[in-house]
Structures are given as structure tokens and as C-alpha cells.
Amino acid sequence: MNDRLNRQIAVVGLGLMGSSIVVSLLASGYRVVALAPIPGEKNPAIQHIVTLLRHADKSNLLPKGLDYCVRNLTVTEDYREIGGCTFVQECVIEDMGIKNKVYHQITNHVSRETVIASNTSAIPISDLQQFVSNPHRFIGVHWAEPAYMTRFLEVTCGAKTDLDIAKRVMELGKSWGKEPTLLRKDIRGFITNRLMYAVYREALTLVENGDVTMEDADKVFRYDVGSWITLMGIFRRMDFMGFSDYIDSFEGILPKLSNRTDVPDMMRPLVAERARGIHNGKGFYDYNEQQAKAWEEAFAQFNKEIYDLATRYTEKHISEKAYNEEKKLSKI
Amino acid sequence: MNDRLNRQIAVVGLGLMGSSIVVSLLASGYRVVALAPIPGEKNPAIQHIVTLLRHADKSNLLPKGLDYCVRNLTVTEDYREIGGCTFVQECVIEDMGIKNKVYHQITNHVSRETVIASNTSAIPISDLQQFVSNPHRFIGVHWAEPAYMTRFLEVTCGAKTDLDIAKRVMELGKSWGKEPTLLRKDIRGFITNRLMYAVYREALTLVENGDVTMEDADKVFRYDVGSWITLMGIFRRMDFMGFSDYIDSFEGILPKLSNRTDVPDMMRPLVAERARGIHNGKGFYDYNEQQAKAWEEAFAQFNKEIYDLATRYTEKHISEKAYNEEKKLSKI
């Protein structure tokens, strides 16, 4: 996987997520073989990828331009075309049987050196690993939507993944403009989900107990947590708050937190009526067609703005500022 | 508490938080009697308030101008001057004894109609309520720092607080330009802390178990959660994701989450060496003087930007957009 010599990556599975990943890789200068494993998926995928490329271009995310990206793209249904790729990103649906078939095809067509990555967020990497002939080169690489406009990339080792491979995938992720994170053990729910389900559990419990309304819990996260999270994350937030009260707070608050393991009651009727949130108008909140559209548009726009904002506040920027200040002082 | 007739509010306690609250109230057009309960606190407080007012002015947060705000401000050590106020915001240090003395002074000088609010984030409102003669008019009103640049305002009822008073305080909070949230029961840790300690517990456990590094847990929150939280909060996020996988995920993930009630080991050495994070350079991360300063400056700047961003993406804006779209369609 020498990405200096071979800047060609295969993406297998061209649904919403796969197409968006293709665009992200093209935007960072890679050649991409985009493989549609489902008959009939190829032409709609081409159209969708081109639409996304135009959007990325309008958002100034294609430093080498749209034409360059289009020239670097191959869309195919033929597994033989991925033969030269040393990194394959799988993003087909979350179905063990289908993934098994796809891995079988992939391993039949690539070299033993090729790293195979799954975008799964639901199936343990250690379980998927058993389907490939070279499990130590199999790894989880989980993207966020839209892939070309987020910095998130979650790299997850399965039980048999070689840690050196993981480190090289982390470097590869950086070359895609991401801020990859490494989960060394294949724990259920990976990192984001673990942390967010801890929040969901507590929030659902507070609302079910009548302590707070859903709307107010949302406001708290938007206006309090939202005002620092993109800059600080979790641990640096604690550094900002100082530590004097923490022991008291941990001792006082942890015993009161919800430890439930059952599905909160608020979820059940939603699942029963096949709620799909903004996608069919039924969720914790209700949405008519215009409202769903307004929220989707707001997110697309917001996402672009927060991406730009985050770019100007990376740790690297802040450390460099501190370093330059220090150098200036030492010269006086 | 007719805030149309009496737009005069008392703030008792002029430390960092109190001064910042004074500025927020002045910025929203209220007259403020700022009371320094500690001898010698008055003059430094005046200086600090003026500095913050200048910062608010530079940030375009004083629609009526700096002079107007200065004219509306009285700084005093004399409790008699708060006599005409129908709302008193207490923000002295988190010490039951001191708060008791301060409430005694306040209740001696205001009418029985006056609402008394505490900014506490550590002491239950039901406990503080016992110190005042009119407990049903006592309430928690918890601000975020810097008060004039955040929309957060957490209103908390104690066991004896009148719910109608709470609702009027919510309206008052809106007139200060906040997005107030109401916690009907005085639960330990209020809302934000409950939700964030659920995250801290899980994150500290994942790091202690070697599943993920502290740096990577921070990145996950910055780049994934950070990319939507300010727009959506918690429940609307679930609406965006759709519900199809949620039951499986709840059943799969909840039983794996940390339920510990002890203080995580990672915290103990930090507390033992009196770590105060960026305030003394010792925390989860280390900071030299320049680094601490660079982070503080980055936060001040970031905070202004995210405040502006959040202003452009309120629920009201998004609903209005949907409503206008609907009206346009119905005309066709």
C-alpha cells in the first residue's frame, strides 16, 4: 500500500455513502475505481457522483478542479478493474451475506498485499474479518456523510488486524484530508456511537421521567455543548473547566445517571409506526414535506459552514500560534 | 415581575460570571443594579464590566450602544439600592453559608413579590430555597460563560418553586436573547451536566480500557458530533438518522456502556496534584504559558463565530423558511 506510488483506490458499493466517498478520494487527488456490485447501479451512480463533484467544486473543495477529478474516475461493474488497487473501501449494505459475497469477489481479484476496509458501523470488524483470506489486512474505515465535507474518519481494528496496517491506514486517511481516529479494539458501537448512546440513554430517561422536555434537552446540547465541542472535544473541555469540583461532581452525579439496558419506551411506538424521522416526516418531531426539506437544506449549508470553521481551529493551528509566540518572546 | 414596567434587575456577586451576566442584561436593554457583596470587590468589578462591555461592543452585541449601557448601570455595595428590583440574580461562590447570608440580606431589602434566582450549578435549588422567606419565588437560573455571548440559560425549579414563576422567568430569559430551557425537577447535575457526565463516564472508561486514546476521543467529538450538534441537538439528530436501526443499536450498545459510579482512576492523580487544566498548565493535556494563552484566545474567537453561526440556524429560521415555501406553493 505505497500510496506515493499507487494513488489508486477502489470503492466497492456506490450507494449514497459510497458515491460520497468516491468524491472525497477524487477531491484529495487519488485515482478511483468505483465499482457497482449491483447490476443497474452503475449509471445512476455516475450521475450521482457527478452531481456531488459539482457540489464539491462549488464549495471550493476540488483544488485540482472538476475535470481533473473526472479524468481520475473509472466507474465499472467489472471486478477485474480493481486488480491494481492496493486499498479497497467496501461500502455495501449492512448485510453479512452480501458482504461475504463481495469480499469473495474482491479477494479473487486483488493481490495479497491489498488492504480491504469496510465502512460498516453495525457489524463487528472481527466478524467480517473471517470472510477474507488475509484477515490481518482487513480493517474498519468508517466515514461520515457527506464524506467530502467532513473530517471524521474512524479506523477500527478487528481481533486479527495488524496494528502496523492500522497505522498506515491512519496516514492514508490524513492524506485524504481527514482527522482519523483509531479504535484499537473492535468494541460494539465504535467510539462515536458509544459516546452518543450514553447521551441518548440519559436524555431519553430524563424526558421519560418528566424532568425536562425533548425540546429543552435539544436546546441544551445546541447552545451549551455546541458552543465549545467543535473546538475542544471532551478531555480538553475538562481542562478548560479546571478540576477543582470534578471529584465532587463525579461522586455526586455518576450514581444518579441512568444505567438502563432496555430500549427506552419513547422509541417503541416510533419504531412500531416505521418512523424514519425527516425521511418520512415521523419522528420525535413531526415534519411536513416543506419542513423536512428546510431541515435538509439547513444541514447541507450548516455542514459547509462548520467544516470551514473547524478548518480554522485545528489543534495544529493553535499549537503553531503558541509556538510562534514563544519564539518571538525568546528573541527579545 | 412585570418586566415591561420594571426593566431593572439586580445582580448580586460580581466575580467573572456575575460581571458577564451584568453585561448580558445591559446588552439586552435592562437597567442593572450590580451589587458587590464583598468589600473591595466594587472597583475591580467596575473595571471588569467596562472591559467586557467594550468587548461586547466590538462584537456588535450592543444594539443601543456602549453609552446607553453605561447609563443603565449602577454598581454598589449597598443592599438598599436593590429595593426596587423585582428580579435578583445571585452569583456568589458555591458556598451554602455565604449564599445563606446573601439571601438574608436580599430578602431584607426587596418586596415579597421579588423573584430570587441562583446561578448555582452545584447546590440543589431545593436546598437553597430553605434560606428565603418566600421559597416559591426562588429558582435556579444558570448562565454559561461568557453570558453575553451564549444563548444558553438553564432554568431549574426547586421542590417549592411555583411553576408559573418558572414560566415567567423563561419569558424573561427570552427577552435577554437567550434560548432558556426548563428543568421541572431539581435533579442532581441539572441537564447539561447529567448529559455530559454520561459522556465523560463512557469516554474515561474507553480510554482507561485502552480502547481509544484521549486524543482520538476528542477528535470524534470535535469532527463528528461537532458537525451537527449546534444545528440539531439530540432528538432531532435521531430524526435525521432515521429509526430503522435504533432498536438493534439500543439493544446491542446499552448493555455494553459503562455504569460505574466510582471516580475514574484517570481523574485521581490530576486532582491530587491540584491540576486546574489550562488555568495552571496541568490537565489531561499539558500547557505551557503560550499554549494556555493560545487556547484561551482561540476559544474567545471561536465562541464569537459559533454564536454568529447558531444565530443563523435557529429553529425559528428553519420553520419560517418551510412556512414561506409552503405559502408559495399554495399560491401556485
Side-chain angles (χ1 to χ4, degrees):
Chain A
M1 195 189 56
N2 186 331
D3 63 276
R4 306 275 161 217
L5 292 175
N6 178 352
R7 293 180 68 87
Q8 177 163 296
I9 288 174
V11 176
V12 178
L14 303 180
L16 291 182
M17 193 76 230
S19 301
S20 174
I21 292 171
V22 167
V23 170
S24 180
L25 294 169
L26 290 169
S28 57
Y30 283 81
R31 281 186 289 138
V32 178
V33 179
L35 192 140
I38 301 170
E41 198 186 44
K42 185 180 151 184
N43 286 332
I46 292 175
Q47 290 214 314
H48 188 52
I49 291 169
V50 170
T51 304
L52 296 182
L53 273 172
R54 289 216 183 96
H55 179 241
D57 194 28
K58 255 177 50 186
S59 308
N60 298 317
L61 293 171
L62 303 183
K64 297 190 175 177
L66 184 64
D67 289 348
Y68 180 90
C69 293
V70 172
R71 278 198 305 275
N72 272 343
L73 171 65
T74 306
V75 186
T76 181
E77 291 179 336
D78 185 351
Y79 277 94
R80 284 172 299 186
E81 299 215 39
I82 70 169
C85 299
T86 51
F87 184 87
V88 181
Q89 173 75 55
E90 168 270 309
C91 28
V92 302
I93 61 166
E94 302 279 22
D95 180 302
M96 293 275 276
I98 290 171
K99 285 194 193 282
N100 186 2
K101 279 183 200 155
V102 166
Y103 297 147
H104 191 71
Q105 288 277 14
I106 293 171
T107 45
N108 279 349
H109 290 90
V110 298
S111 85
R112 281 184 59 81
E113 299 304 305
T114 295
V115 173
I116 302 174
S118 175
N119 182 51
T120 185
S121 64
I123 308 172
I125 301 304
S126 303
D127 291 356
L128 294 177
Q129 219 160 27
Q130 62 178 325
F131 297 141
V132 299
S133 50
N134 218 352
H136 74 277
R137 302 182 79 84
F138 187 91
I139 195 162
V141 174
H142 177 212
W143 302 63
E145 234 316 83
Y148 56 95
M149 285 185 88
T150 48
R151 298 199 182 277
F152 175 79
L153 195 78
E154 197 165 40
V155 177
T156 303
C157 295
K160 293 184 178 165
T161 307
D162 183 338
L163 195 58
D164 282 338
I165 297 288
K167 287 179 183 161
R168 284 160 65 189
V169 171
M170 293 285 285
E171 288 306 311
L172 196 56
K174 286 180 198 162
S175 78
W176 302 335
K178 303 302 171 201
E179 294 272 358
T181 56
L182 178 61
L183 186 58
R184 282 157 193 270
K185 270 184 267 169
D186 187 13
I187 54 172
R188 175 79 206 211
F190 309 134
I191 319 175
T192 322
N193 276 350
R194 283 288 270 255
L195 298 176
M196 280 315 299
Y197 274 77
V199 176
Y200 295 156
R201 171 166 76 172
E202 187 62 25
L204 284 159
T205 305
L206 291 175
V207 172
E208 284 187 3
N209 290 348
D211 294 326
V212 65
T213 63
M214 191 172 78
E215 291 81 0
D216 282 359
D218 274 357
K219 275 192 202 163
V220 163
F221 245 59
R222 296 179 67 182
Y223 295 111
D224 181 345
V225 180
S227 74
W228 48 263
I229 202 79
T230 301
L231 181 68
M232 301 182 198
I234 303 165
F235 289 94
R236 199 178 298 280
R237 170 62 176 180
M238 292 195 260
D239 280 354
F240 260 76
M241 300 300 284
F243 287 82
S244 40
D245 294 339
Y246 271 109
I247 292 283
D248 281 355
S249 296
F250 271 102
E251 284 174 350
I253 296 174
L254 293 196
K256 310 276 181 176
L257 293 180
S258 168
N259 292 339
R260 71 198 295 171
T261 55
D262 59 316
V263 178
D265 292 339
M266 278 176 75
M267 300 297 297
R268 296 210 175 270
L270 291 168
V271 173
E273 60 168 339
R274 298 181 188 281
R276 292 189 54 242
I278 64 161
H279 310 291
N280 69 352
K282 289 182 204 163
F284 289 114
Y285 300 93
D286 287 329
Y287 305 83
N288 65 27
E289 209 176 307
Q290 283 76 31
Q291 284 163 338
K293 207 174 141 233
W295 275 101
E296 274 188 297
E297 285 174 0
F299 181 49
Q301 187 58 33
F302 177 85
N303 195 67
K304 161 108 185 76
E305 297 205 46
I306 196 90
Y307 182 84
D308 291 343
L309 185 60
T311 306
R312 288 183 282 114
Y313 289 90
T314 62
E315 259 173 71
K316 206 167 144 244
H317 284 144
I318 297 165
S319 320
E320 273 169 14
K321 215 174 146 190
Y323 177 75
N324 291 338
E325 194 59 34
E326 206 172 344
K327 243 176 44 187
K328 220 164 65 189
L329 286 175
S330 72
K331 276 189 191 154
I332 297 170
Chain B
M1 194 187 59
N2 185 331
D3 63 277
R4 305 274 162 218
L5 293 174
N6 178 354
R7 293 178 69 87
Q8 176 162 295
I9 287 174
V11 176
V12 178
L14 303 181
L16 291 182
M17 194 75 230
S19 301
S20 175
I21 291 172
V22 167
V23 170
S24 181
L25 293 170
L26 290 169
S28 56
Y30 282 81
R31 281 184 289 138
V32 178
V33 180
L35 192 140
I38 301 170
E41 198 185 44
K42 185 180 151 184
N43 286 332
I46 292 175
Q47 290 213 316
H48 188 52
I49 290 170
V50 170
T51 305
L52 296 182
L53 274 172
R54 286 213 186 96
H55 178 242
D57 193 29
K58 254 177 51 187
S59 307
N60 298 318
L61 294 172
L62 305 183
K64 297 192 173 175
L66 185 63
D67 290 346
Y68 179 90
C69 293
V70 172
R71 278 199 305 277
N72 272 344
L73 172 65
T74 306
V75 186
T76 182
E77 292 179 337
D78 185 350
Y79 277 94
R80 282 172 299 186
E81 299 216 36
I82 69 169
C85 298
T86 49
F87 184 87
V88 181
Q89 172 76 55
E90 168 270 311
C91 28
V92 303
I93 61 165
E94 301 279 22
D95 180 301
M96 293 275 277
I98 290 171
K99 285 193 193 280
N100 187 2
K101 280 184 201 155
V102 166
Y103 297 146
H104 192 70
Q105 287 278 10
I106 293 171
T107 44
N108 279 348
H109 290 91
V110 298
S111 84
R112 281 183 60 82
E113 298 305 303
T114 296
V115 173
I116 302 175
S118 175
N119 183 51
T120 186
S121 64
I123 309 173
I125 301 304
S126 304
D127 292 357
L128 294 177
Q129 219 160 27
Q130 61 179 325
F131 296 142
V132 298
S133 48
N134 219 352
H136 75 278
R137 303 183 78 85
F138 187 91
I139 196 162
V141 174
H142 178 212
W143 301 63
E145 240 306 269
Y148 56 95
M149 286 185 86
T150 47
R151 296 197 184 279
F152 175 79
L153 194 78
E154 196 165 40
V155 177
T156 302
C157 296
K160 293 185 179 163
T161 307
D162 183 338
L163 195 60
D164 281 338
I165 296 288
K167 287 179 184 163
R168 283 160 63 188
V169 171
M170 294 285 285
E171 289 306 311
L172 197 56
K174 285 180 199 162
S175 79
W176 303 335
K178 303 303 171 200
E179 295 272 359
T181 57
L182 178 62
L183 186 57
R184 282 157 194 270
K185 269 185 267 171
D186 187 15
I187 55 172
R188 174 81 206 208
F190 309 133
I191 319 174
T192 322
N193 276 350
R194 283 287 271 257
L195 298 176
M196 281 315 298
Y197 274 77
V199 176
Y200 295 156
R201 171 165 78 171
E202 187 62 26
L204 283 158
T205 305
L206 291 175
V207 172
E208 284 187 4
N209 290 349
D211 294 325
V212 64
T213 63
M214 189 171 77
E215 290 81 1
D216 282 0
D218 274 357
K219 274 192 203 163
V220 163
F221 244 60
R222 295 180 67 183
Y223 295 111
D224 181 344
V225 180
S227 74
W228 48 262
I229 201 79
T230 301
L231 180 69
M232 301 182 198
I234 303 164
F235 289 94
R236 199 178 299 280
R237 170 63 176 178
M238 291 195 259
D239 279 354
F240 261 77
M241 301 300 282
F243 288 82
S244 40
D245 293 338
Y246 270 108
I247 293 283
D248 280 356
S249 296
F250 271 100
E251 283 173 351
I253 296 174
L254 293 195
K256 309 277 182 176
L257 294 180
S258 169
N259 292 339
R260 71 197 295 171
T261 55
D262 60 316
V263 178
D265 291 340
M266 279 176 76
M267 299 296 297
R268 296 209 174 272
L270 291 168
V271 173
E273 60 167 337
R274 297 180 188 280
R276 293 189 51 241
I278 64 160
H279 310 290
N280 70 353
K282 290 180 204 164
F284 289 113
Y285 300 92
D286 288 328
Y287 306 83
N288 65 27
E289 209 175 307
Q290 284 75 32
Q291 285 164 335
K293 206 172 141 234
W295 275 101
E296 275 188 295
E297 286 173 0
F299 181 48
Q301 186 60 34
F302 177 84
N303 195 68
K304 160 105 185 79
E305 297 205 48
I306 196 89
Y307 182 85
D308 290 344
L309 186 59
T311 306
R312 287 182 283 113
Y313 289 90
T314 62
E315 260 172 71
K316 205 167 145 242
H317 284 144
I318 298 164
S319 320
E320 273 168 14
K321 215 174 146 187
Y323 178 75
N324 292 337
E325 195 59 34
E326 206 172 343
K327 242 173 48 185
K328 220 163 67 190
L329 286 176
S330 71
K331 276 188 192 153
I332 297 169

